[in-house]
Amino acid sequence: MLNNAASGSEAGQEAAAGEGVFAQLSGLMNPKSVAVVGASNRSEGWSGMAVPVLRRLGFAGRIFPVNPKYEELNDLKCYPSVSAIPEPVDAVLIFVPQKLLPDILEDCGRKGVRGAVILASGFSETGEEGRAMEETLREIANRNRIAICGPNCLGLANLDSGFMGLTAATFPEDMSAGRTALISQSGQLLMVLLARAHDQGVRMRYLVSTGNELNVEAADYASWALDDPEIASVCMNLEGLRTPSRFLALAEKAQAVEKPLIVLKLGRSKRAARTALAHTGKMAGAFRTYEAVFRQNNVVSVDDPMELAEAAALFEKCPAPRGERIAVVTFSGGWSGVMADQCEALDLPMADFTEKTVEGLRPLLDFTPPVNPLDLSGNVNNHPERWGQSLKIALDDENTDILVVFIHQVRESWRGRLIGPVLELSEMADKPIIVVYDGGKVVEAGYEQLARDGRLPIYRGSQQMLKALKRFTDYHKRAKRPADHGAGPQIPADAGARVDALLAGGGRTMAEDVAKQALLAYGLPMVGEALVGSEAEALQAAEAIGYPVVLKGLADGMEHKSDAGLVHLKLGDGDAVRRAYADLAGKLAGHTLNGKPAPCLVQKMVGGGVEVILGMQNDPDFGPMILVGVGGVMTELLNDVALRRAPLSRTDVAEMIDETRLGRLLAGYRGSPVADRAALEDAVLRLSALSVAHADAIESIDINPVLVLPEGDGCVAVDALIVKPEDEA
């Protein structure tokens, strides 16, 4: 539905236009008066239903039917045009064919309309003719500062005010306003998500189907919703971003106001990298890049539509947890074991009950131990009063941050005994309480009772509950991170000019020695080396550098030298250098490097250390993305890397390292010496600075491996590749 993101000047123009209409969003999202263009007396179809639905939902503003065919509709005066309405009009719902839209929008502009919902399809999603019509509408809307929802959408709704400009076949029976906004680039998914949210007992406040996003994007609606003090979270279903900078600004705003963005990003298949020359390009796929940006900006990323509603339930109904330790109360030994296993698999810690809690629980248990998960067993049936007492003791434990209550298959007559105490406890609790009401259709009435009540998040199964809970606790943990005020490394004053001069050289890929000069300009440590063109020069360089050495062949089209057999390691004397040089000379015969005979590179052989890959991929949406992970020849096979958007903070770098196996390797895995992590972090920050400063001239960077030596000895880059954009080569 949504086109690919605009780029360059086009993106800038769209961003500017969006800023111009953002001030009009209140007229679109919370209008005080609505005109229905194309209103009719048909009992079926939204042209006839729009006015009755607005009345039924309690819309308190003025409603103006517009259609020259009628003098009156639904007991309201009907006007021949929007401009004929004698009162101000904030928003317009447009139910007319595509060909009439330009004239109607011009008429809305003359009237001073602030927002319009265009439901019609047949625009850029259909081809060039439709794209041209869409551009015409965009020009009219931007010139008249009209915020447009659509075209090719289902519309939008403000359930708090009763404004319903959303057209769909079915709606949940209860359309009362809640504390969640739901914004979707897919109209049908919006309705599925709405239905699922209602099943969870989550009520929406704002609903938006964004369609083709003529001049208002998903991020704009979300930003507007965040300004509402009643909003607890904003849920988004995204197919793509027309203007990524607007989403980044939204994420920053969400963090500032401490309200989560919960995002389902579609399109998770790997995007072919623009270049296959760098490991980084192969590993930094489209969805991986989005996930990195989400994590860096504390956006809650979910995997499927159901999980969106399941996560939203926690943010709407639960206070922020003090920590992530879970206490579980159930009356099934089997479910106790299931929860223990699932929590461990998701790295969710379980609380250890204090001695005070243990002593308080003992009199309430017949034969089960007073441990977490807490199995009350037959006590639920024989001593129903113990249920509420046990719940309170478990919740009050100082080690309990979150209480999870399991209700299973029980007699219908016992339902109140179980639900009542949980709801009573929720009234006084300052910790999250979550209910899993599991047992299929036999106990469906109990689940629905809790969902209708709406005070507690409720789930039909433990796995989906725990997955949502993990998103919830991770968000709050990241929100508590201290601000990163640490100064970055000192970059030499002439670094930018030196790299610009090196980038001005020919060829799409920079020779390894030249790439290393560029990295060295920003202070990244390099292994000692020398470029040679003869056996005699190779021997002389090896003596000067000191044995053992490495000998590499450099040639265009052979960027990954190991794969081409162009690397000889551990050369300990002159004879070894001669043999290696003879082998490389034969393999390089007839090859060139930037128009000159292919040379060799003599390097100091550095032993030991942890092998790391550092890289940068210039993403078309988000710019330079920095990659850190386990390096060496197994890099792509292991694919154990982390990504973040540059510029990086020290906190970003530390998190990237700890996301991968590097954290453990650097700490001295299985008796190996502790590696110089600080030196690696410094190198990553220097790569970030280089990548930002030269983003327009560099497509990707690979530094693989970087050897991180024992603590205090620093790190050195052994191999490097810099690729320029094709149009820059």
Side-chain angles (χ1 to χ4, degrees), residues 175-334:
M175 290 294 282
S176 57
R179 302 181 59 226
T180 302
L182 177 56
I183 297 152
S184 175
Q185 290 174 336
S186 164
Q188 289 304 315
L189 261 181
L190 177 83
M191 302 314 299
V192 170
L193 292 167
L194 173 63
R196 286 296 300 179
H198 273 251
D199 287 349
Q200 294 286 137
V202 175
R203 297 296 180 264
M204 295 300 164
R205 193 172 190 84
Y206 305 111
L207 294 162
V208 184
S209 163
T210 69
N212 290 13
E213 300 186 353
L214 191 80
N215 62 1
V216 184
E217 301 180 19
D220 300 323
Y221 296 109
S223 181
W224 188 89
L226 286 175
D227 290 333
D228 186 339
E230 294 300 318
I231 282 292
S233 68
V234 175
C235 297
M236 304 179 74
N237 165 49
L238 298 176
E239 299 171 18
L241 297 175
R242 186 180 297 280
T243 314
S245 60
R246 283 154 91 163
F247 179 82
L248 293 171
L250 167 68
E252 184 177 347
K253 179 176 180 177
Q255 291 182 87
V257 300
E258 300 180 349
K259 296 180 181 182
L261 297 178
I262 309 173
V263 177
L264 171 63
K265 173 64 178 71
L266 305 181
R268 297 180 173 223
S269 58
K270 286 186 177 181
R271 173 185 59 194
R274 290 186 298 158
T275 173
L277 298 177
H279 292 294
T280 307
K282 296 173 185 174
M283 293 188 289
F287 183 68
R288 197 171 206 166
T289 298
Y290 271 90
E291 282 285 83
V293 171
F294 291 166
R295 180 184 288 267
Q296 193 170 8
N297 291 278
N298 205 13
V299 172
V300 181
S301 177
V302 298
D303 295 328
D304 60 58
M306 307 306 106
E307 193 185 343
L308 196 75
E310 288 155 0
L314 292 170
F315 287 103
E316 178 172 308
K317 300 174 186 299
C318 292
R322 301 178 309 177
E324 53 186 339
R325 296 167 299 181
I326 302 169
V328 176
V329 179
T330 177
F331 44 90
S332 163

Side-chain angles (χ1 to χ4, degrees), residues 174 198-201 203 317 415 444-455 458:
D174 179 6
H198 273 251
D199 287 349
Q200 294 286 137
R203 297 296 180 264
K317 300 174 186 299
R415 192 201 320 157
E444 187 70 9
Y447 176 97
E448 291 176 351
Q449 178 181 337
L450 278 169
R452 282 193 305 271
D453 179 87
R455 277 178 278 181
I458 179 167

Side-chain angles (χ1 to χ4, degrees), residues 682-697:
D682 183 81
V684 178
L685 288 170
R686 292 179 183 277
L687 174 62
S688 170
L690 184 155
S691 300
V692 171
H694 304 278
D696 292 339

Side-chain angles (χ1 to χ4, degrees), residues 363-383:
L364 304 179
L365 304 172
D366 289 336
F367 57 87
T368 54
V371 297
N372 184 30
L374 180 63
D375 173 18
L376 298 179
S377 190
N379 278 300
V380 174
N381 303 329
N382 302 325
H383 304 283

Side-chain angles (χ1 to χ4, degrees), residues 426-669:
S426 72
E427 288 298 303
M428 62 187 76
D430 60 356
K431 300 177 184 179
I433 299 176
I434 303 166
V435 179
V436 179
Y437 209 119
D438 198 17
K441 291 189 177 299
V442 175
V443 294
E444 187 70 9
Y447 176 97
E448 291 176 351
Q449 178 181 337
L450 278 169
R452 282 193 305 271
D453 179 87
R455 277 178 278 181
L456 293 173
I458 179 167
Y459 298 85
R460 285 188 168 91
S462 61
Q463 187 68 36
Q464 57 264 45
M465 179 274 295
L466 286 175
K467 195 173 180 183
L469 183 56
K470 177 67 172 172
R471 310 290 194 198
F472 180 71
T473 57
D474 281 354
Y475 168 83
H476 285 290
K477 186 163 54 175
R478 293 179 67 82
K480 294 174 183 175
R481 292 177 302 173
D484 187 348
H485 298 299
Q490 190 67 36
I491 305 299
D494 63 345
R498 289 168 60 189
V499 171
D500 285 339
L502 294 169
L503 287 167
R508 187 176 178 210
T509 62
M510 297 175 71
E512 180 182 337
D513 63 313
V514 180
K516 287 178 176 175
Q517 290 176 47
L519 298 170
L520 188 60
Y522 274 78
L524 279 89
M526 298 293 144
V527 68
E529 63 186 29
L531 196 67
V532 300
S534 68
E535 179 185 289
E537 290 179 0
L539 289 167
Q540 183 179 3
E543 291 289 341
I545 291 171
Y547 292 105
V549 297
V550 177
L551 193 62
K552 299 177 179 178
L554 308 182
D556 293 326
M558 298 183 178
E559 285 78 16
H560 298 301
K561 293 172 281 294
S562 296
D563 296 344
L566 298 180
V567 180
H568 288 267
L569 305 172
K570 300 179 181 178
L571 305 178
D573 54 34
D575 287 341
V577 170
R578 290 187 187 93
R579 289 192 297 271
Y581 191 87
D583 176 70
L584 293 179
K587 291 177 178 176
L588 293 172
H591 289 277
T592 60
L593 182 67
N594 293 331
K596 298 179 181 179
C600 292
L601 194 63
V602 180
Q603 287 182 338
K604 178 66 179 177
M605 181 73 197
V606 181
V610 176
E611 291 189 329
V612 176
I613 180 173
L614 304 184
M616 184 278 284
Q617 180 71 20
N618 208 335
D619 184 81
D621 287 344
F622 296 110
M625 299 293 300
I626 305 298
L627 176 145
V628 178
V630 176
V633 296
M634 304 291 282
T635 288
E636 287 186 35
L637 179 63
L638 295 175
N639 203 9
D640 186 17
V641 297
L643 280 173
R644 291 291 188 278
R645 180 176 179 268
L648 302 182
S649 68
R650 291 191 179 275
T651 299
D652 290 329
V653 176
E655 288 184 349
M656 293 170 77
I657 291 172
D658 290 332
E659 268 179 44
T660 69
R661 296 183 184 93
L662 278 180
R664 285 176 291 165
L665 291 172
L666 295 170
Y669 185 67

